[in-house]
């Protein structure tokens, strides 16, 4: 079947065509401008293409309560002009097909769980560490929602003793994960972008500390069978061994499972789908919309 996939980001909108196997046939991206011209570009891309459904992995916050009259709306986002935008309703009305929608990180978690690093697992948590930090959770076929959707990027961290910015840079929270460990925080802390820092810079030891705390919190709270770390910051491959070792150190043997004690290299992993986690997850959201 032919399906549409939309990765709706605060910087760009990535539109793609693919199928239920996660195969992507083509894609195109548009800059995220004001809602009206941006939605016009998206609708023009998918119109007349014969898609049976559309899946959307979207920046947020989102209203994901299926019983809500504003289900599928972007709500209180800090993105200028995008507050209270009925994303799902606009796409359904314009395209006349079912539209599945979830957060960008939940979409990526779904892709990795079913067709990526989590094949064979019943539970997985996916984090993106990039401009911001966000997390999505997959558990026995379901994507985690509750009162709202999870905001894992705002868990509170203990500062590293050598961190020159121990309070972080989040405008909402003192010392939260995103404010301590996102790409913007790295640049604000050291005065240069993460790409310009050498692999042996102390920045990476400090970054690994926060990402390890994140993994430990995830393990003791959610106990997933796999943790996947994606996003631009995780392209710094020296981070993975640092994060794995520090995760084991902080846990101190408390979670006495072979996946942690003996096989952590296969437990905390990069995305198997590479940069396609969100697009593949969006295709799977489209399949679920048909169901």
């Amino acid at each position: 079947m032919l399906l549409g996939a939309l990765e709706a980001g605060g910087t760009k909108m990535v539109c793609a065509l693919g199928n239920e196997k996660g195969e992507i046939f083509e894609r195109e991206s548009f800059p995220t401008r004001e809602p009206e011209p941006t939605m016009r570009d998206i609708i023009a891309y998918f119109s007349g293409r014969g898609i049976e459904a559309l899946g959307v992995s979207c920046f947020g916050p989102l209203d994901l309560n299926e019983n809500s009259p504003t289900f599928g709306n972007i709500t209180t986002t800090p993105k200028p002009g995008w507050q209270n935008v009925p994303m799902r309703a606009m796409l359904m009305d314009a395209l006349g097909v079912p539209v599945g929608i979830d957060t960008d990180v939940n979409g990526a978690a779904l892709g990795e769980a079913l067709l990526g690093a989590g094949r064979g697992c019943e539970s997985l948590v996916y984090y993106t560490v990039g401009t911001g930090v966000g997390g999505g959770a997959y558990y026995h076929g379901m994507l985690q929602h509750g009162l709202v959707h999870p905001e894992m990027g705002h868990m509170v961290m203990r500062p590293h003793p050598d961190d020159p910015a121990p309070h972080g840079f989040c405008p909402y929270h003192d010392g939260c994960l995103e404010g301590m460990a996102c790409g913007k925080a790295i640049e604000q802390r050291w005065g240069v972008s993460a790409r310009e820092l050498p692999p042996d810079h102390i920045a990476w030891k400090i970054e690994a500390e926060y990402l390890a705390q994140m993994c430990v919190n995830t393990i003791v709270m959610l106990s997933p069978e796999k943790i996947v770390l994606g996003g631009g910051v995780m392209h710094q491959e020296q981070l993975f061994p640092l994060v794995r070792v520090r995760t084991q150190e902080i846990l101190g043997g408390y979670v006495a499972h072979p996946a942690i004690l003996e096989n952590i290299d296969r437990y905390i992993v990069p995305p198997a789908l590479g940069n396609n986690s969100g697009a593949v997850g969006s295709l799977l959201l489209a399949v679920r919309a048909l169901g």
Side-chain angles (χ1 to χ4, degrees), residues 30-255:
F30 312 100
T32 303
R33 308 186 304 282
E34 290 295 310
E36 184 176 347
T38 303
M39 295 301 293
R40 187 166 59 242
D41 285 344
I42 294 166
I43 291 164
Y45 176 85
F46 289 114
S47 292
R49 307 299 292 273
I51 62 172
E52 295 182 46
L54 173 65
V56 183
S57 299
C58 188
F59 74 98
L62 303 174
D63 180 354
L64 296 176
N65 178 359
E66 294 184 5
N67 297 316
S68 168
T70 57
F71 171 53
N73 283 19
I74 299 173
T75 60
T76 57
T77 181
K79 176 76 175 171
W82 282 86
Q83 293 77 25
N84 304 308
V85 173
M87 172 70 82
R88 178 175 178 269
M90 292 173 72
L91 292 169
M92 288 183 68
D93 290 346
L95 300 174
V97 298
V99 175
I101 189 168
D102 214 309
T103 62
D104 46 6
V105 281
N106 262 355
L110 183 63
E112 288 294 330
L114 298 185
L115 297 174
R119 283 179 182 263
C121 295
E122 294 290 347
S123 58
L124 173 146
V125 171
Y126 174 93
Y127 283 99
T128 183
V129 187
T131 305
V133 180
Y138 172 90
Y139 181 76
H140 288 266
M142 302 295 291
L143 293 167
Q144 179 65 45
H145 303 133
L147 182 66
V148 291
H149 51 77
E151 291 282 4
M152 300 183 196
H154 292 272
M155 66 177 77
V156 177
M157 302 278 101
R158 294 183 302 189
H160 188 286
D162 297 323
D163 189 345
H167 299 285
F169 301 95
C170 177
Y172 296 98
H173 310 119
D174 185 346
C176 78
L177 172 62
E178 180 170 286
M180 302 294 261
C182 73
K184 285 184 178 179
I186 295 171
E187 184 169 350
Q188 286 175 275
R189 182 181 285 112
W190 303 109
V192 297
S193 72
R195 290 187 297 273
E196 298 177 62
L197 294 168
D200 59 351
H201 195 283
I202 192 175
W204 302 118
K205 183 178 180 181
I206 292 172
E207 179 72 7
E209 172 67 25
Y210 298 133
L211 299 181
Q213 289 185 40
M214 172 190 79
C215 290
V216 168
N217 290 341
T218 302
I219 291 165
V220 297
M221 287 192 298
L222 300 176
S223 197
E225 294 173 64
K226 190 85 69 175
I227 297 175
V228 181
L229 305 183
V233 171
M234 298 312 303
H235 292 167
Q236 301 285 337
E237 295 182 1
Q238 72 274 16
L239 276 173
F240 277 96
L242 294 173
V243 171
R244 291 166 180 147
V245 168
R246 186 62 182 139
T247 297
Q248 290 175 318
E249 290 173 350
I250 297 172
L251 283 170
Y254 182 75
V255 181

